[in-house]
Amino acid sequence: MTVEQHPNGVRTRPATVTDQSRVFDLIEQLTGEAPNSRWVTVYESHLRGERGAVIVAENDERILGIATVSYNVTIRYGGEYCELEELIVDDSARGLNLGRILVQRTIDDAQQRGCAEIGLYLVPSTEGNRGFYEKLGFEVIGTEMRQNLETKQS
């Protein structure tokens, strides 16, 4: 993956080790949770491209936004598909079209990797973003169900 320059003066590129602190700051803004050792383990795995990736959007001053994805394997596709996990744009960078730029970059990277499709989950707090994702070509295909396993590991 390479650095891509965009007309608004922003670059997108894969994250590096030196980006970890700023990436974690943005994730903390989204979740309200403090970074922990599990975040470090996943981040390092994403840097190796094992099961995911982190893309940053930056200007000459700092990282303004990030997108994280996971790569999953399924028999029905005969290979990988991509899941957009986090899309975070710093409040100070709103209006620069970074959300669209980051999502398009993850789509392009997933296609280059050979993924069969890319998807995402909308949760109640992000449901208002449905129209944004639909404009980028995403379609509603069903309802997600989950079960929290962390509470059962006691």
Side-chain angles (χ1 to χ4, degrees), residues 17-63:
V17 172
T18 58
D19 298 326
Q20 179 179 304
S21 176
R22 177 64 177 147
V23 168
F24 286 6
D25 286 347
L26 288 167
I27 295 172
E28 189 174 1
Q29 281 181 29
L30 175 73
T31 66
E33 298 176 23
N36 59 58
S37 62
R38 293 180 353 184
W39 288 21
V40 173
T41 300
V42 173
Y43 186 78
E44 290 172 352
S45 173
H46 279 11
L47 293 184
R48 293 188 298 273
E50 294 169 354
R51 299 254 341 259
V54 179
I55 299 296
V56 301
E58 65 184 357
N59 59 16
D60 290 337
E61 298 171 18
R62 67 186 184 128
I63 293 172

Side-chain angles (χ1 to χ4, degrees), residues 80-154:
E80 287 185 323
Y81 69 95
C82 180
E83 197 71 34
L84 177 62
E85 300 291 352
E86 290 128 350
L87 176 64
I88 308 164
V89 175
D90 190 271
D91 288 341
S92 68
R94 303 284 173 175
L96 294 177
N97 228 3
L98 294 185
R100 184 192 58 75
I101 289 169
L102 283 163
V103 172
Q104 189 59 56
R105 174 69 190 250
T106 64
I107 293 168
D108 295 345
D109 289 354
Q111 285 177 318
Q112 289 176 358
R113 189 176 166 110
C115 292
E117 75 174 18
I118 184 168
L120 60 92
Y121 300 109
L122 292 176
V123 295
S125 63
T126 61
E127 186 63 41
N129 298 331
R130 180 184 299 265
F132 166 77
Y133 291 112
E134 288 173 340
K135 287 178 187 174
L136 293 170
F138 289 87
E139 301 173 298
V140 177
I141 59 168
T143 302
E144 175 184 295
M145 296 177 70
R146 290 191 182 204
Q147 184 179 120
N148 186 336
L149 301 177
E150 288 187 358
T151 59
K152 294 185 177 192
Q153 293 179 1
S154 301

